[in-house]
């Protein structure tokens, strides 16, 4: 499974757009890119998944360049409630292990 | 209805005891997992089951024994508990391979004293 690298922490303010980039240089052809969000004392929550180009849902957008060696999770107009740890995962459609890295701790300030 | 439910939410027990954590999912998923999140907040997979069959065992001590009576349940039994077992344990379920994401339970905070 491809290893991922993310910033350890980020700070933002309410109303701003936040972009969290994940590096996955060894991504395989069959691998998908998935992002999860975890609040304190809760289990991770699926945010978005993509394979290439751009994916958007009601929560976030995921940008994946052509070489797929990185991806960017974009959170539009964050609020205090978006303060959480965000995990980038890369894996294929086999019996993947959902390997979690250290994640990015996002702090949104008033 | 809670998609993935774990019981109990909190568990405090003494070293050497045997305890179980139950997990049930009502999503009709074929694949279920157990994860351990330690004090440093790293989430590590322990087991993965698909249709009641063990798929992944990530070098977990054999004191930990998962049991899947049916594909909606994956219980975790822990024998001879040790201080280092203190952590939050998460159950999750997904479609095979985790496609379209996995659903996690609320976690069971195990404290061994």
């Amino acid at each position: 499974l491809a290893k991922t690298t993310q910033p350890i922490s980020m700070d933002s303010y309410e109303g701003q757009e936040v972009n969290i980039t994940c590096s996955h240089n060894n991504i395989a052809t069959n691998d998908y890119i998935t992002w999860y969000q975890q609040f304190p004392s809760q289990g991770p929550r699926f945010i978005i998944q993509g394979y290439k180009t751009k994916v958007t849902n009601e929560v976030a957008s995921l940008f994946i360049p052509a070489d797929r060696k990185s991806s960017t999770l974009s959170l539009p107009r964050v609020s205090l409630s978006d303060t959480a740890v965000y995990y980038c995962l890369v894996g294929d459609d086999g019996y993947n292990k959902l390997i979690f890295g250290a994640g990015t701790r996002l702090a949104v300030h008033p | 209805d809670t998609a993935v439910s774990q019981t109990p939410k909190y568990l405090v027990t003494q070293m050497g005891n045997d305890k179980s954590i139950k997990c049930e999912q009502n999503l009709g998923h074929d694949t279920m997992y157990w994860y351990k999140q330690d004090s440093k907040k790293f989430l590590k997979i322990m087991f993965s089951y698909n249709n009641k069959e063990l798929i992944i065992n990530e070098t977990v001590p054999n004191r930990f024994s998962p049991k899947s009576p049916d594909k909606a349940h994956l219980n975790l039994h822990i024998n001879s508990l040790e201080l280092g077992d203190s952590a939050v344990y998460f159950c999750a379920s997904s479609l095979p391979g985790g496609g379209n994401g996995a659903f996690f339970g609320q976690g069971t905070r195990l404290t061994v004293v």
Side-chain angles (χ1 to χ4, degrees), chain A residues 41-79:
Chain A
S41 302
Q42 294 186 27
R45 183 175 75 103
F46 170 83
I47 300 175
I48 197 166
Q49 184 181 70
Y51 183 80
K52 62 181 180 180
T53 62
K54 177 184 174 182
V55 180
T56 297
N57 61 22
E58 64 278 6
V59 177
S61 294
L62 179 59
F63 297 92
I64 306 168
D67 66 6
R68 303 201 327 123
K69 293 184 183 297
S70 67
S71 58
T72 299
L73 175 72
S74 181
L75 305 172
R77 299 182 60 79
V78 294
S79 64

Side-chain angles (χ1 to χ4, degrees), chain B residues 62-83:
Chain B
N62 57 16
R63 296 184 296 104
F64 291 79
S65 53
K67 287 184 172 52
S68 182
D70 54 64
K71 75 173 191 177
H73 295 83
L74 181 61
N75 303 322
L76 184 64
H77 188 77
I78 315 170
N79 290 327
S80 304
L81 278 156
E82 300 176 357
L83 293 177

Side-chain angles (χ1 to χ4, degrees), chain A residues 34 36 38 41-46 49 87 89 92-102 105, chain B residues 31 33 35 37 41-43 45 50 55-56 58 90 96-102 104-106 109:
Chain A
T34 310
Y36 286 81
Q38 186 178 25
S41 302
Q42 294 186 27
R45 183 175 75 103
F46 170 83
Q49 184 181 70
Y87 296 97
L89 282 73
D92 62 22
D93 267 350
Y95 294 113
N96 70 42
K97 305 179 188 179
L98 297 181
I99 302 292
F100 286 81
R105 189 172 299 275
Chain B
T31 306
Y33 312 81
Y35 280 80
Q37 188 165 41
K41 304 301 182 184
F42 286 108
L43 266 165
I45 189 166
N50 188 68
I55 301 299
I56 293 169
E58 283 294 298
F90 289 100
N100 297 316
F104 283 77
Q106 81 278 18
R109 182 174 295 276

